[in-house]
Amino acid sequence: MEKNHHVCCPTCGSSSAQRRHFISTDARKCPGQLVNQVECPTCDYLMVTCAVDGRVLEAYSSGLMASRLEHLPQSRCLTFQP
């Protein structure tokens, strides 16, 4: 089962971004292999998360530099450091 929705991109705000909900055989770390994917062709943004626990499986955004992100292990989040 696959569902597609048009959404606003969280990075650039474009309305051409698409959210997909599907089952992926590649998502072995995700219970039930249920995956959410948000992809924006305007700014080249990609975020793939587990639909069950919210864990990030894959992420890419050409506008964010890894050196400006700080990993916070206690919250399992990334925060932007200006």
Side-chain angles (χ1 to χ4, degrees):
M1 176 180 78
E2 183 173 323
K3 294 181 182 177
N4 295 319
H5 306 279
H6 286 283
V7 296
C8 289
C9 175
T11 302
C12 72
S14 169
S15 61
S16 64
Q18 191 172 49
R19 175 178 287 136
R20 297 176 52 218
H21 306 280
F22 59 97
I23 297 173
S24 173
T25 56
D26 293 332
R28 292 177 194 91
K29 295 181 180 180
C30 183
Q33 298 175 326
L34 298 170
V35 175
N36 294 325
Q37 174 180 311
V38 177
E39 187 172 14
C40 178
T42 303
C43 69
D44 201 23
Y45 172 85
L46 173 70
M47 177 73 72
V48 181
T49 59
C50 176
V52 176
D53 61 14
R55 186 179 328 162
V56 176
L57 304 174
E58 185 177 353
Y60 175 79
S61 179
S62 59
L64 295 176
M65 295 171 45
S67 63
R68 298 183 70 187
L69 293 174
E70 177 183 311
H71 182 67
L72 302 175
Q74 68 274 13
S75 65
R76 295 193 305 174
C77 295
L78 292 174
T79 58
F80 182 71
Q81 298 297 314

